[in-house]
Amino acid sequence: MPIPVAAALEAADAGNVEDFLAAFAEDAAVDDWGREFRGRDAIRAWSDAEFIGKEVSLRVTGVRSEGGTTTVSAQVGGKGFNGPSDFTFTVAGEHVTLMRITG
């Protein structure tokens, strides 16, 4: 698993918003089932309302890489969405540029 991906997931699971955001490039995006949040401020607002702010927990159940993307399957818990999800990451250098959440 690429270091920025592991850092983002570990920070989210630990409830650490600052470290979560630090894993993303300045102009990165989160695509949450087709809703896009671009830039760290937008990602923070999304996370506060729907991810870390809902005390998300992530139990990784699988990791696969294809080309320039890494998909992490996880069992999601917390006070928001609960259930299996896939998180597909695109990384450039030391930062995540896209995190796409799907089923």
Side-chain angles (χ1 to χ4, degrees):
M1 182 180 317
I3 292 170
V5 173
L9 294 174
E10 289 171 14
D13 194 53
N16 187 325
V17 176
E18 296 307 319
D19 285 352
F20 177 70
L21 292 172
F24 288 85
E26 289 287 333
D27 62 344
V30 168
D31 179 332
D32 185 1
W33 289 84
R35 297 177 306 136
E36 186 175 287
F37 305 88
R38 182 161 299 279
R40 287 185 181 159
D41 289 342
I43 293 170
R44 178 190 297 275
W46 164 80
S47 178
D48 287 350
E50 301 183 42
F51 200 55
I52 294 175
K54 293 290 187 182
E55 299 176 19
V56 70
S57 65
L58 301 167
R59 184 175 52 83
V60 174
T61 58
V63 178
R64 61 192 179 280
S65 293
E66 237 179 83
T69 63
T70 300
T71 301
V72 178
S73 298
Q75 184 65 31
V76 179
K79 295 181 179 175
F81 172 82
N82 284 259
S85 248
D86 285 338
F87 298 81
T88 301
F89 293 87
T90 304
V91 174
E94 298 180 5
H95 293 98
V96 171
T97 57
L98 175 64
M99 179 177 85
R100 178 173 286 125
I101 304 169
T102 58

